[in-house]
Amino acid sequence: MPRLKADFCTEDAVDTPYWWDAAQPAKATPDDIKATTEVAIVGGGFTGLNAALVLARAGKEVTIYDAEAPGWGASSRNGGFLGPGWAFFDTAMAYGPDVARRVVEESFLSLQYVKDVVATEGLDCDLKVMGYFKGATAPRVYDKLGRMIDRINKVMPCDAYMVPRAAQHAEIGTDLYHGGISMPGYAGIQPAKYARELARAATRLGVRIHSGAKVSDIRPDNGGLRFRVAGRDVVAKQVLLATNGYSASVSPYLKRRIIPVGSGLVATEPLPPDLMARLMPKQQLLAGSQRVVTYFRPSPDGTRIILGGRVLDMSGRHETNVANARYIRSLLVKIFPELAQTKITHYWHGQLGFTFDGMPHVKQIDGLHFAGGYNGTGVARASWLGSRVAHGMMGSAEGSTVYSGLNFETRPYVHGRAWFYPLAVMYYGMLDKWDRRGL
Ligand SMILES: Cc1cc2nc3c(=O)[nH]c(=O)nc-3n(C[C@H](O)[C@H](O)[C@H](O)COP(=O)(O)OP(=O)(O)OC[C@H]3O[C@@H](n4cnc5c(N)ncnc54)[C@H](O)[C@@H]3O)c2cc1C
């Protein structure tokens, strides 16, 4: 395990996900890569694995190729916040009320979908309905959140409600926020366990999963597709690209449309139970309302705090990991000043896949199928859209989703590297400061 050495880290701190302590993505490859497969899935995260389950259940011969290992990408690195992601609602309004209504509908369906898959396949992944409180960083943000809930309720009743500042300590042990919004239906999940269990379920259904299998050079071949993987040529009738924030190497089209954005997390050392009870009285998922988001939660065993935020640098070198960890830990101390002396045991980061319209997309591109662009909210959506795209590949009406009808935009001078990202963070950071002006 790579060690993370700094004064704010424990002796045995590492720069791998806390989740991997219980479920490290397995690198084992069953046997040789075959020269043909009916359906090839590139990427073994929540999108690819859920698609594989649907296709295999329908009797298709399915092979997953992952450049690293199944679950290695964002799917085993995320915060494990499993919810409808209502923030998409306002973004969807740009497409009109009908699209926005369908987005809300699919948001609820995606949450239910994961609960159903976990129950049906018997997946051991610490799924628990915990609730979610988002703290408003200013009184005007509190009002704005209230108006958003009113708008959603006009489309479809939702269980969210506002919590005024006076009642906030029942939700979280900080004075940083000005009240907030409570969303009781949100669940927490151990994402690396969920990915591992999905891979096991897919294997049980006959899906072949190859690790260390980077796919390249995908091209048409006699009505199907041919590609290179691990020094071999493989021919498939259909190919699904399930690479989300890691798409740049596999598709020039996606390189211009999926913006890879880094997000990092830290896990604290175990905290005394009375302190945990004071800081997180409901043991729920938590976040601040900033555009440059900070999100945090208790570990599934309730002993530690896991907190995520933006990363300053994604190179992965030891010194930049230390700088990222120091910055993310500083966000934790800002929320909970009494953790000023608390050390961290884990720091890690992963890549989100953003899009220019802020919406996920399901598309067919030159004969290739794609689902992705979850804009940082993909635990439920990637699972759901993985299943939808699989139904769509089989020509079934169940493949219908609002995300297949949207225009998948790009911008001039965008060729994979998110050179504009620091500017965007600066801009959104300024808007966050503007929200708090005068306070
Ligand atoms: C740090 C972080 C925190 C997050 N927190 C949350 C959260 O709390 N809640 C939430 O809803 N969402 C969250 N997300 C987003 C969510 O994790 C993702 O949207 C989701 O996991 C995407 O799944 P995926 O299967 O599409 O992609 P990924 O899981 O990223 O999988 C893509 C896979 O493609 C493989 N790959 C890439 N190129 C190739 C190639 N050429 N050949 C073969 N394989 C290839 C990679 O190795 C990788 O395993 C977070 C993301 C990150 C990074």
Side-chain angles (χ1 to χ4, degrees), residues 296-320:
F296 44 111
R297 59 169 290 179
S299 54
D301 65 2
T303 61
R304 303 161 187 254
I305 295 179
I306 294 168
L307 180 137
R310 83 181 174 96
V311 282
L312 308 166
D313 182 295
M314 283 285 287
S315 64
R317 282 173 300 152
H318 181 262
E319 59 275 23
T320 58

Side-chain angles (χ1 to χ4, degrees), residues 42-47 65-69 72-75 77-81 213-215 242-244 246 249-250 263 265 295 350-352 374 376-379 382:
V42 186
F46 298 154
T47 306
Y65 308 89
D66 198 291
E68 300 288 338
W72 175 90
S75 295
R77 296 161 186 268
N78 59 69
F81 283 48
K214 183 171 179 176
V215 169
T243 43
N244 196 41
Y246 299 85
S249 74
V250 78
S263 183
L265 292 102
Y295 50 99
Q351 279 177 205
L352 316 163
Y374 305 113
T377 310
V379 176

